[in-house]
Amino acid sequence: MTLPKIELHLHLEGAAPPAFVRGLATEKKIDISGIFDDRGNYAYTDFWHFLKVYEAATSVLTTPADYARLTRAVLAESAASGVIYSECFLSPDFCGGRDVGAWREYLHAIREAAEEAERQDGITLRGIVTPIRHFGPEKARETALCAAETAGDWLVGFGLAGDEKVGRPKDFAWSFDCAREAGLRLTCHAGEWGGPDSVRDAVRDLRVERIGHGVRAIEDPALVDELAEAGIVLEVCPGSNVALKLYPNFRAHPIEKLMERGVKVTVSTDDPPFFHTTMAREYDALAEAFGWDDGVFRQIADTSIRAAFCMEETRDKILKRLEKAHA
Ligand code: ADE
Ligand code: ZN
């Protein structure tokens, strides 16, 4: 599908193609052969194993130059799928071990690579810092300080990724307050492995305006109404949820029901090569499962760019491109 697409939920390391990671592993003589299957794809058994494989793959990314190469590879793939605006999750945990000086160097390299992609492929990228929940609240504070130091027109958001079953959102309230005070906009993974209460807790205790996934809100009708009423935006990643067996197939996914109940939904890939997906494949699978036409996808793109954390000037530019494409 060639419609212009907006992606709001993409983990930069999670978007690394397996061949890219294998190449770096060979160059650096790091043995991570155990994370691939016989066909060279990432191999994992469930979400928790996926997180381990993800961290092993990330271990080959050791310099700002590696991240610059990764950014170029990821954005080329996104642009080929028709993505014109993307927000990606970045972790100072992986980029410089939460040292602010090192983090600035990684960020600079990623940003330069993104600017090159914008010139060449017409895709705009912005960054969202995410601490890793299972690394704990203490490390999240250091991550929040890195984010606050570099907040601006490119680094626009703060979130929380990692194992949703570890700890509670309120353990991270200090970090989210720090990020908010620095002008960053807020999102949090919830309602993927945690039930509806995990979404409630994230909204109440962290005061986020978007939720990463959030789809399990569907299990609580009152919460669905609250999300619709409050205009909370869900970063829905249907292919990720199907690959990780949260739902058996696209048809069984609650995205359409959430939308019909008035919740603002957007569509993203999460960690595309891990889940054998791309934005084009997500759109095709949704069209097939629900019979959605261009009008529905236009509405999703519109909701997405209005929920983007970028500055107004960037939003206006992307909105104009969407209008032109649908004229
Ligand atoms: N890190 C990378 N992908 C993730 C996901 N889907 N949920 C939580 N943490 C992640
Ligand atoms: Zn995610």
Side-chain angles (χ1 to χ4, degrees):
M1 201 171 273
T2 53
L3 293 171
K5 303 169 183 72
I6 313 291
E7 174 154 50
L8 300 181
H9 188 119
L10 177 72
H11 300 262
L12 188 59
E13 299 90 0
F20 178 92
V21 167
R22 257 194 310 278
L24 276 182
T26 308
E27 272 173 37
K28 299 182 187 196
K29 300 192 172 47
I30 301 173
D31 181 14
I32 47 160
S33 51
I35 69 169
F36 303 109
D37 65 17
D38 322 339
R39 289 158 66 196
N41 294 316
Y42 294 117
Y44 56 88
T45 49
D46 60 15
F47 175 67
W48 291 272
H49 188 209
F50 154 78
L51 287 178
K52 288 207 165 67
V53 169
Y54 182 105
E55 282 164 30
T58 301
S59 72
V60 306
L61 296 158
T62 54
T63 67
D66 293 340
Y67 270 85
R69 273 165 75 186
L70 173 63
T71 304
R72 288 295 281 126
V74 169
L75 291 181
E77 176 63 45
S78 295
S81 248
V83 178
I84 60 171
Y85 175 88
S86 181
E87 289 180 2
C88 75
F89 297 125
L90 302 167
S91 304
D93 300 83
F94 302 133
C95 299
R98 295 179 298 279
D99 172 83
V100 182
W103 162 243
R104 280 188 195 282
E105 286 175 27
Y106 278 83
L107 194 58
H108 180 73
I110 294 166
R111 201 175 159 165
E112 269 196 347
E115 279 159 10
E116 194 180 311
E118 182 152 20
R119 285 191 298 274
Q120 286 179 6
D121 298 329
I123 179 168
T124 301
L125 183 70
R126 294 293 181 264
I128 299 175
V129 160
T130 52
I132 311 298
R133 186 160 168 164
H134 53 274
F135 293 177
E138 202 60 53
K139 293 197 168 84
R141 283 190 196 125
E142 294 172 27
T143 301
L145 290 170
C146 287
E149 283 289 323
T150 49
D153 60 345
W154 198 87
L155 199 278
V156 291
F158 188 77
L160 185 60
D163 187 351
E164 244 181 73
K165 296 264 195 203
V166 174
R168 298 152 304 173
K170 72 173 178 207
D171 302 335
F172 298 89
W174 187 95
S175 298
F176 276 73
D177 288 346
C178 168
R180 187 186 304 104
E181 277 163 30
L184 291 162
R185 312 268 301 267
L186 305 177
T187 177
C188 177
H189 280 66
E192 180 190 18
W193 302 104
D197 278 346
S198 72
V199 177
R200 270 207 181 86
D201 292 350
V203 172
R204 187 193 56 227
D205 296 335
L206 304 178
R207 294 164 51 204
V208 295
E209 53 186 296
R210 296 191 337 216
I211 293 281
H213 299 285
V215 288
R216 291 191 54 201
I218 199 69
E219 296 164 24
D220 181 338
L223 175 62
V224 173
D225 291 342
E226 282 165 38
L227 294 177
E229 178 73 19
I232 303 285
V233 174
L234 302 189
E235 303 155 5
V236 182
C237 308
S240 160
N241 298 153
V242 172
L244 289 170
K245 302 195 170 62
L246 203 53
Y247 303 103
N249 51 52
F250 270 69
R251 189 75 204 118
H253 194 282
I255 186 169
E256 189 175 58
K257 289 195 191 82
L258 287 161
M259 202 158 66
E260 283 169 358
R261 297 277 307 277
V263 178
K264 290 185 177 170
V265 303
T266 63
V267 171
S268 297
T269 57
D270 210 5
D271 306 279
F274 282 89
F275 307 138
H276 305 285
T277 191
T278 61
M279 279 293 275
R281 280 189 213 152
E282 294 291 320
Y283 271 46
D284 286 344
L286 289 166
E288 192 182 314
F290 300 112
W292 288 357
D293 59 14
D294 285 7
V296 179
F297 288 111
R298 182 181 180 175
Q299 187 192 323
I300 286 175
D302 204 67
T303 301
S304 305
I305 194 60
R306 290 181 197 286
F309 289 163
C310 59
M311 295 176 74
E312 290 312 313
E313 193 187 322
T314 309
R315 191 189 326 282
D316 287 347
K317 222 168 64 188
I318 304 293
L319 268 168
K320 286 208 178 77
R321 282 184 72 183
L322 286 178
E323 269 164 31
K324 217 161 133 189
H326 287 280

